[in-house]
Amino acid sequence: MPISVRVAAIAAAGICAVSSVSGCSRSTVAEVNGSNAVAVENPSTSQLISPPGFLETPLWSVPFISTPQVVDDGFAGILVGTEASDSATVQVLGDTGAPRFGVDVPANRAQFAVASVRGRELLITQDVGDTDSDNIDYLTARDTRTGEIVWGPVRTQGCLTGTGLLIDADCDAAESNSAEGAVSAVDGHTIDLSGAVTEFGGHAVVADGENARIVTVDTGNTAWSTETLTPPPAALAGSARFIGAAGNSVIVAWTIPTRSEPIQAVYRLSDAEVRWVSGARTPMTVVADASSGSTLITTDDLTDDGIAVLFVQYGTKGFTADQFPGAYRSHSSAESCTAARNRL
């Protein structure tokens, strides 16, 4: 799927909350070639009210119960099972709605991750089945195009948290409080990593107050940390403060002597390359496309480069608020939202 499609999806989620009313009946799950596959629907106009800018009649629909992820020329999402079932299904579809394959997962642990390894995109899921202990589970990785098992089942001391390939030992909790480890997408081995807040592309961010270190999951080694960063021009050395991370971007605030508000810099997760430095006076918020890692960054102060999209493939290239007519003059998030949406 082209990067512009992925980034447009990020912008729609991060800039504007658009709601729709659905009257679709739930699709049935059929058995196709020995694996679960969903039967997609073609709703009528009377069943769906489309947001502005979209087709009046969707080409097809699927009853995912959570936000799907983009995979190679398609989508992956969770389908709920019957009331009597203790499992759910992670379904992979092509971008035309054609089913590829489905994987049963425990209903109370309906999480999955998508990762790219050596030019191959993987769907990583929790396995259904008995375990040796209450806190021991197994993960399996499959090719997103074919459903072929690439590795697994691999025993892991915990369950996926829903944030990349982080795991939490408290598998029965309704929500994960904190990650305790990370899983390598290469072969499924686990490293202890208490305090990790996000993982993408084989690197995990471990936060400790205002400091953060980035760990290479395959080796367990620290790739870099906020304490080792070189300050941007005008920033004071040693003043770096971790703000947040998503996808392949890490936000760090730096103190400067000329004003009370810090400047903020965005670094590439894998190697700490500076991707963007902003003079906006309000804190950054970063939202990531879970599949590509491209990030949408926004600030409340839209008068000073308050919106940017950073693409994974193109390094620091992207777009900022000043490319939307009128956005740089507006203090209103709603007005800037309209300008951005019209441009997309």
Side-chain angles (χ1 to χ4, degrees), residues 7 41 76 85 100 115 129 147 156 173 194 220 230 268 296 311 336:
V7 171
E41 297 179 350
S85 174
R100 290 183 186 169
T156 180
S194 179
T230 301
R268 188 161 58 193
L296 168 72
F311 302 104
S336 299

Side-chain angles (χ1 to χ4, degrees), residues 19-177:
S19 63
S20 63
V21 180
S22 173
C24 292
S25 61
R26 184 179 153 197
S27 298
T28 58
V29 177
E31 192 74 15
V32 177
N33 295 328
S35 62
N36 288 328
V38 64
V40 299
E41 297 179 350
N42 185 9
S44 66
T45 304
S46 62
Q47 289 176 304
L48 289 177
I49 300 175
S50 301
F54 289 83
L55 295 175
E56 291 185 0
T57 303
L59 299 176
W60 50 270
S61 66
V62 179
F64 289 143
I65 62 171
S66 62
T67 303
Q69 286 197 35
V70 176
V71 297
D72 282 335
D73 297 322
F75 305 91
I78 298 170
L79 301 171
V80 68
T82 63
E83 293 183 1
S85 174
D86 58 359
S87 66
T89 299
V90 178
Q91 181 68 47
V92 181
L93 308 167
D95 56 10
T96 63
R100 290 183 186 169
F101 65 93
V103 180
D104 286 337
V105 298
N108 61 339
R109 304 171 193 174
Q111 300 285 4
F112 67 94
V114 176
S116 295
V117 176
R118 297 165 184 164
R120 198 176 199 182
E121 196 169 62
L122 306 181
L123 176 76
I124 301 169
T125 59
Q126 208 83 33
D127 288 350
V128 173
D130 296 332
T131 59
D132 303 307
S133 166
D134 290 339
N135 291 329
I136 295 178
D137 272 79
Y138 295 84
L139 297 177
T140 299
R142 293 173 172 84
D143 188 295
T144 60
R145 286 189 173 274
T146 64
E148 173 192 354
I149 293 179
V150 178
W151 53 256
V154 173
R155 177 169 164 164
T156 180
Q157 192 81 26
C159 301
L160 293 171
T161 66
T163 308
L165 281 172
L166 299 182
I167 58 172
D168 179 7
D170 191 2
C171 294
D172 294 326
E175 294 183 1
S176 176
N177 294 320

